[in-house]
């Protein structure tokens, strides 16, 4: 069974991505019945990223993050979306089946229209066909390898629903060539908050990168707002700081922080514990990350190998799809 997920390389991966996508997706890697496909959605990033050097750099950062966090390229496949040209051929085919009315309601497009509406601008101002078609490309990512399981956070669920809808339409019109994917719910995804208390997200700018300098990490944790209770006052074991700690601590460590909250503890001390906890959790991964970033040729070699394995599968699926819809020459490879 194939489990597939992608990350758009638009910013440094943050702790919300780690808890919401990377960690649960990597856990699937250890299930014997599952082959993990993890890819860098660089063509999705093209919707907003126009700086070529930046796009290339961000793509490597994302790959290095997954590898440093434990992705095993022997067991799983990690690749660049842009290296699998079959995805883009399938994208066109799917776009002929996708219902425009459904895409009108997709989150990213609706959000862009809302911004325009608030500014009193034409609703489609600055909206590219790529942004509108974002969910169709995502459907192609998933369906080209007949992925059965798609672990995503709350914000991407609608996109996977759209992929399911398109796959069902294909079934209806042409038979069961494509696999209808299941969403693997990632419950924690929506709960990790950024330093301002809202959901941690690149778009809110409230994120804490996984691999930042220790001084930056300390600064970001210091920014987390706290109440004005004195160190002696008991505190409820909840809130942004507590949740952050909890995400990276063992049961025992969580209990001992809970006790401190009950007996009273200064916010400075709590922040220091959160900082220590996160840095030690990622200490060995950070070394691997720095090593990969210093040797981008190693990252590229792994991505090329992953892509060549995935393309074999993608080529087969595309061939079946083309045959089913009645295009192309079946004798050509
Ligand atoms: N849209 C996803 C994100 O922004 C990335 C992505 C692209 C993806 N294609 C995918 C995720 C296919 C799961 C499956 O994070």
């Amino acid at each position: 069974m194939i489990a597939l997920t992608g990350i758009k390389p638009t910013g440094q991966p943050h702790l919300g991505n780690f808890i919401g996508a990377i960690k649960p997706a990597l856990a699937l890697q250890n299930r014997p019945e599952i082959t993990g496909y993890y890819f860098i959605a660089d063509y999705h990033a093209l919707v907003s990223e126009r700086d070529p050097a930046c796009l290339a750099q961000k793509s490597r950062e994302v790959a290095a993050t997954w590898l440093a966090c434990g992705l095993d390229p022997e067991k799983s496949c990690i690749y660049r979306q842009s290296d699998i040209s079959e995805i883009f051929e399938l994208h066109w085919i799917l776009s002929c089946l996708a219902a425009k009315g459904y895409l009108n309601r997709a989150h990213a497009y609706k959000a862009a229209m809302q911004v325009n509406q608030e500014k009193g601008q034409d609703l489609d101002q600055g909206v590219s066909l790529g942004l509108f078609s974002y969910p169709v490309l995502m459907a192609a990512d998933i369906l080209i390898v007949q992925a059965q399981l798609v672990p995503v956070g709350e914000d991407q669920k609608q996109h996977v629903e759209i992929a399911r809808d398109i796959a069902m339409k294909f079934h209806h019109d042409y038979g069961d060539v494509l696999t209808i994917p299941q969403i693997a719910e990632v419950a924690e995804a929506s709960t990790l908050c950024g330093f301002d208390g809202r959901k941690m997200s690149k778009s809110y700018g409230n994120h804490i990168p996984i691999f930042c300098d220790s001084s930056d990490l300390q600064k970001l944790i210091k920014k987390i707002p706290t109440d004005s209770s004195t160190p002696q006052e008991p505190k409820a074991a909840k809130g942004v700081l507590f949740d952050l700690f909890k995400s990276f601590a063992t049961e025992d460590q969580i209990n001992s922080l809970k006790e401190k909250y009950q007996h009273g503890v200064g916010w400075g001390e709590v922040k220091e514990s959160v900082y220590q906890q996160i840095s030690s959790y990622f200490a060995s991964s950070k070394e691997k990350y720095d090593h990969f970033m210093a040797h981008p040729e190693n990252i590229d070699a792994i991505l090329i190998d992953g892509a060549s394995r995935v393309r074999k599968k993608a080529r087969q699926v595309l061939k079946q799809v083309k045959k089913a819809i009645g295009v192309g020459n079946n004798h050509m490879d």
Side-chain angles (χ1 to χ4, degrees):
M1 187 202 299
I2 293 176
L4 169 143
T5 197
I7 297 197
K8 208 165 48 157
T10 44
Q12 267 181 307
H14 56 73
L15 298 179
N17 297 138
F18 180 80
I19 294 296
I22 301 178
K23 193 174 162 217
L26 289 179
L28 293 173
Q29 188 182 243
N30 298 323
R31 290 195 4 213
E33 76 282 14
I34 287 182
T35 308
Y37 280 35
Y38 307 99
F39 71 93
I40 322 301
D42 48 359
Y43 267 149
H44 273 113
L46 191 62
V47 167
S48 53
E49 181 58 74
R50 297 296 149 70
D51 178 336
C54 196
L55 183 52
Q57 173 71 8
K58 294 266 162 58
S59 297
R60 288 207 179 93
E61 281 175 8
V62 168
T65 301
W66 283 81
L67 291 163
C69 291
L71 189 146
D72 178 351
E74 303 274 312
K75 268 195 211 164
S76 307
C77 294
I78 178 167
Y79 55 98
R80 284 191 179 88
Q81 178 189 36
S82 57
D83 284 337
I84 316 290
S85 50
E86 289 78 7
I87 293 174
F88 310 99
E89 204 171 330
L90 183 62
H91 170 260
W92 173 259
I93 299 169
L94 300 182
S95 71
C96 294
L97 298 178
K100 180 175 176 284
Y102 197 174
L103 296 177
N104 284 341
R105 298 193 297 274
H107 294 322
Y109 177 55
K110 264 177 73 179
M113 284 202 301
Q114 201 181 335
V115 170
N116 282 329
Q117 191 172 28
E118 279 158 15
K119 290 187 185 159
Q121 294 172 165
D122 183 288
L123 292 186
D124 278 334
Q125 172 95 26
V127 174
S128 65
L129 191 53
L131 172 67
F132 186 71
S133 190
Y134 189 106
V136 185
L137 183 55
M138 211 164 133
D141 294 330
I142 298 168
L143 302 179
I144 195 69
V145 292
Q146 296 175 319
Q148 276 148 293
L149 213 56
V150 186
V152 286
E154 187 62 35
D155 61 330
Q156 296 297 319
K157 265 168 62 180
Q158 186 199 32
H159 290 151
V160 187
E161 289 293 352
I162 295 175
R164 283 170 56 81
D165 192 69
I166 297 174
M168 284 191 248
K169 178 92 173 86
F170 194 99
H171 264 219
H172 178 265
D173 292 358
Y174 298 110
D176 60 352
V177 176
L178 298 171
T179 302
I180 298 173
Q182 303 288 328
I183 300 173
E185 281 241 28
V186 177
E188 271 176 304
S190 49
T191 58
L192 195 61
C193 293
F195 53 73
D196 60 356
R198 291 190 294 174
K199 186 191 164 206
M200 190 179 290
S201 160
K202 276 178 258 196
S203 45
Y204 291 151
N206 64 353
H207 57 289
I208 301 178
I210 303 174
F211 300 118
C212 56
D213 290 343
S214 34
S215 62
D216 289 339
L217 178 60
Q218 228 157 359
K219 265 187 231 148
L220 288 172
I221 293 173
K222 284 207 179 115
K223 272 199 196 173
I224 298 174
T226 48
D227 61 27
S228 54
S229 61
T230 63
Q232 291 74 30
E233 278 175 68
K235 299 162 171 52
K238 58 179 192 180
V240 179
L241 279 169
F242 191 80
D243 285 346
L244 262 179
F245 184 89
K246 211 169 77 179
S247 302
F248 302 102
T250 62
E251 214 47 50
D252 283 350
Q253 290 168 322
I254 298 169
N255 285 335
S256 98
L257 187 65
K258 257 189 204 158
E259 260 171 45
K260 284 193 185 171
Y261 269 65
Q262 267 158 15
H263 295 117
V265 60
W267 288 123
E269 192 184 329
V270 174
K271 287 184 174 179
E272 180 58 25
S273 308
V274 172
Y275 164 71
Q276 292 295 347
Q277 199 62 37
I278 295 175
S279 353
S280 69
Y281 187 95
F282 289 106
S284 75
S285 302
K286 176 141 176 52
E287 256 177 52
K288 285 190 207 149
Y289 179 83
D290 291 342
H291 187 78
F292 271 118
M293 290 311 287
H295 298 92
E297 67 286 0
N298 293 357
I299 303 177
D300 288 344
I302 293 172
L303 293 177
I304 289 168
D305 179 58
S308 75
R309 284 189 279 150
V310 171
R311 278 197 84 180
K312 284 202 187 103
K313 173 88 187 167
R315 228 176 272 142
Q316 279 171 7
V317 175
L318 186 61
K319 213 171 165 179
Q320 289 166 21
V321 166
K322 287 172 75 173
K323 193 168 168 216
I325 63 177
V327 303
N329 178 343
N330 282 320
H331 305 296
M332 270 176 68
D333 231 350

